[in-house]
Amino acid sequence: MDTKNLGFNSKLIHAGGYKDKQGSVNVPIFQSSTFQFESAEEGARCFNGESDGYIYTRLGNPTINVLEKIIAELEKGYGAIGTGSGMGAVNTVYMGLLKKGDHIISSDAVYGPSRVVLEEKYSEFGIESSFVNTSNSENIKKAIKPSTKVLYLETPANPTIEISDLKKCSEIAKENNLTMVVDNTFSSPYLQRPIEFGADVVIHSLTKFINGHADIVGGIVVAKDEQMYKKLRSTMINLGCNMDPHQAFLVIRGLKTLGLRIDRAQENAMKIAEYLEWHPKIEWIKYPGLKSHPQHELAKKQMNGFGSMISFGLKGGFEAGKTLMNNVKMAMLAVSLGGVESLIEHPASMTHSKVSQADKIKAGITDGLVRYSVGIEDVDDLISDLRQALDKIK
Ligand SMILES: *Cc1c(COP(=O)(O)O)cnc(C)c1O
């Protein structure tokens, strides 16, 4: 069946086009490291690319391949490359697109390790990086040098929920011959498809919304065209950060309910944001669905919904943050996000603890900032939970 013109939720169930010879409704887990050839000639054809037969799981695997096809179709890309983790996808992109002497411009509030690895490791290979607030695209223009090759964006950003204008950024990237990479983890293709706005590469931590059940770690790289796809696939193969077939199976399973899960979670998030916005112990709140969000209009333009990630600041700063963490009962105190369960975390002491204080301040990560990943529980229960925990703050 051609799934190209189907609606998004139908694609979630039918894209990938796998038809099992035994009639299995689900994609089997091809738990095999290697694949036998029918003849020496067939083996040769697989190696020289004349046949697309499988060779070895690090190079490709039928279960992983179905997931790659589904995500490529959802993101409107040419092809996708499964990786063992989101960081595997990030490093595939850095390794594949940058060489000694090159410069990369990145959003300053990206996922902590995506920044730290550039500063601590790629710098040792002679790769230079600049971090700017990409929600104002003028900052990108100012940071461009003759050696700039990549513009790396995360929108909404982690954990400040600032939004970058994908169309404007891609225009700047095109004018300056930069490859534009977007980490689309916070939105998933259900809410935002960066390739439609001009991105060249999209990456995901599948660990979050796409798998959605907090039971695996995984990542994927989506390339807009064939040339980029081939380059990044060979980088992943050589890096060895491939996905495992069992991991791919679970992601395919989780992915089927992406639309349902996000619809419910973002409906909950809107109600929680409205509750928190007027709470006396809250200093500020950032949720793209609130009119008070500085890029509310931009979010409406480039996203199909506002998502379920909320950031807020407590008037009582660090201590109040700790009190809240220690008193919520339903929301679990844990990093990660995008699962069916509500999770709460404190970036200053957790995910962003390795980022320097000065850089944290520059990126808007204050000591009282709390990040809330809203799940699909009953919203009244989530609000009562927050209410009783906020009451404990003196
Ligand atoms: C979690 C995350 C990553 C890293 O993914 P892992 O699966 O943990 O390796 C990258 N980017 C964003 C935005 C994330 O939230």
Side-chain angles (χ1 to χ4, degrees):
M1 181 178 50
D2 184 14
T3 52
K4 286 271 172 329
N5 297 316
L6 295 180
F8 194 92
N9 286 294
S10 303
K11 279 186 183 173
L12 288 174
I13 313 295
H14 297 286
Y18 179 80
K19 215 163 163 48
D20 187 69
K21 290 197 183 86
Q22 260 69 246
S24 165
V25 166
N26 287 302
V27 184
I29 309 171
F30 287 90
Q31 196 75 42
S32 186
S33 59
T34 194
F35 296 84
Q36 43 180 326
F37 309 119
E38 290 196 352
S39 63
E41 291 74 20
E42 173 60 8
R45 278 193 292 276
C46 286
F47 273 98
N48 69 23
E50 280 169 31
S51 161
D52 56 6
Y54 293 99
I55 300 172
Y56 185 64
T57 282
R58 178 159 47 77
L59 281 52
N61 171 288
T63 314
I64 300 169
N65 195 233
V66 172
L67 175 62
E68 291 168 338
K69 280 192 178 149
I70 301 172
I71 307 271
E73 191 168 330
L74 297 175
E75 285 286 5
K76 310 257 176 89
Y78 170 83
I81 305 142
T83 55
S85 69
M87 282 312 291
V90 171
N91 281 294
T92 297
V93 164
Y94 290 166
M95 280 278 195
L97 301 179
L98 295 163
K99 61 177 189 322
K100 185 175 166 190
D102 285 349
H103 173 237
I104 173 172
I105 299 171
S106 172
S107 306
D108 56 5
V110 283
Y111 183 67
S114 302
R115 175 175 184 151
V116 170
V117 74
L118 283 172
E119 291 178 325
E120 292 185 0
K121 200 69 216 167
Y122 287 85
S123 59
E124 293 179 347
F125 302 148
I127 291 161
E128 205 193 341
S129 45
S130 300
F131 299 89
V132 302
N133 184 335
T134 53
S135 69
N136 176 355
S137 56
E138 290 304 309
N139 292 332
I140 301 171
K141 286 189 190 160
K142 281 187 223 147
I144 293 175
K145 307 178 184 193
S147 58
T148 310
K149 294 287 159 59
V150 175
L151 172 61
Y152 184 96
L153 303 172
E154 205 178 297
T155 177
N158 187 2
T160 56
I161 323 290
E162 270 179 354
I163 295 173
S164 299
D165 188 324
L166 290 170
K167 192 157 170 285
K168 269 195 196 154
C169 291
S170 86
E171 282 161 10
I172 296 170
K174 296 247 152 28
E175 278 161 25
N176 295 279
N177 278 322
L178 313 181
T179 301
M180 182 163 122
V181 180
V182 179
D183 181 336
N184 203 27
T185 299
F186 267 41
S187 300
S188 92
Y190 186 57
L191 299 183
Q192 172 174 285
R193 290 174 292 276
I195 289 175
E196 289 178 344
F197 294 93
D200 302 292
V201 178
V202 171
I203 62 165
H204 280 284
S205 167
L206 299 172
T207 317
K208 319 295 167 55
F209 288 99
I210 291 185
N211 180 59
H213 293 75
D215 50 10
I216 60 103
V217 168
I220 205 155
V221 180
V222 185
K224 183 182 171 179
D225 60 40
E226 185 176 5
Q227 197 189 354
M228 181 65 77
Y229 168 76
K230 286 189 167 154
K231 176 152 90 173
L232 295 175
R233 159 112 9 220
S234 84
T235 306
M236 183 285 288
I237 289 170
N238 292 328
L239 262 173
C241 56
N242 60 286
M243 181 174 271
D244 176 83
H246 187 245
Q247 211 179 358
F249 170 83
L250 284 171
V251 180
I252 293 167
R253 184 165 102 147
L255 181 58
K256 290 179 185 173
T257 54
L258 180 70
L260 288 172
R261 285 187 279 108
I262 290 189
D263 280 346
R264 168 63 173 244
Q266 66 184 359
E267 196 183 303
N268 283 354
M270 190 69 212
K271 289 183 184 147
I272 291 172
E274 282 167 348
Y275 166 72
L276 291 175
E277 190 169 28
W278 303 108
H279 196 285
K281 286 176 182 157
I282 305 289
E283 192 177 359
W284 56 266
I285 173 162
K286 278 235 187 103
Y287 178 65
L290 292 175
K291 291 207 173 65
S292 61
H293 190 289
Q295 293 123 347
H296 174 66
E297 290 304 319
L298 174 59
K300 275 207 283 199
K301 227 170 60 187
Q302 71 182 24
M303 297 171 74
N304 302 325
F306 302 114
S308 51
M309 296 301 299
I310 299 175
S311 275
F312 55 95
L314 292 162
K315 284 182 183 157
F318 198 86
E319 280 309 311
K322 254 174 52 185
T323 306
L324 182 70
M325 298 289 142
N326 285 330
N327 286 286
V328 281
K329 294 191 174 84
M330 185 175 250
M332 289 185 258
L333 174 54
V335 298
S336 199
L337 55 107
V340 290
E341 63 290 305
S342 294
L343 300 179
I344 198 161
E345 80 120 344
H346 187 217
S349 68
M350 295 160 75
T351 42
H352 289 66
S353 59
K354 289 216 175 103
V355 178
S356 78
Q357 191 64 18
D359 286 339
K360 267 193 292 229
I361 290 167
K362 231 178 102 204
I365 302 162
T366 53
D367 277 349
L369 187 154
V370 172
R371 190 183 78 179
Y372 195 173
S373 171
V374 181
I376 65 168
E377 299 94 334
D378 287 303
V379 71
D380 292 344
D381 292 332
L382 292 174
I383 291 176
S384 326
D385 183 37
L386 278 170
R387 181 183 294 121
Q388 63 80 25
L390 285 163
D391 283 348
K392 306 260 167 42
I393 297 171
K394 299 226 169 55

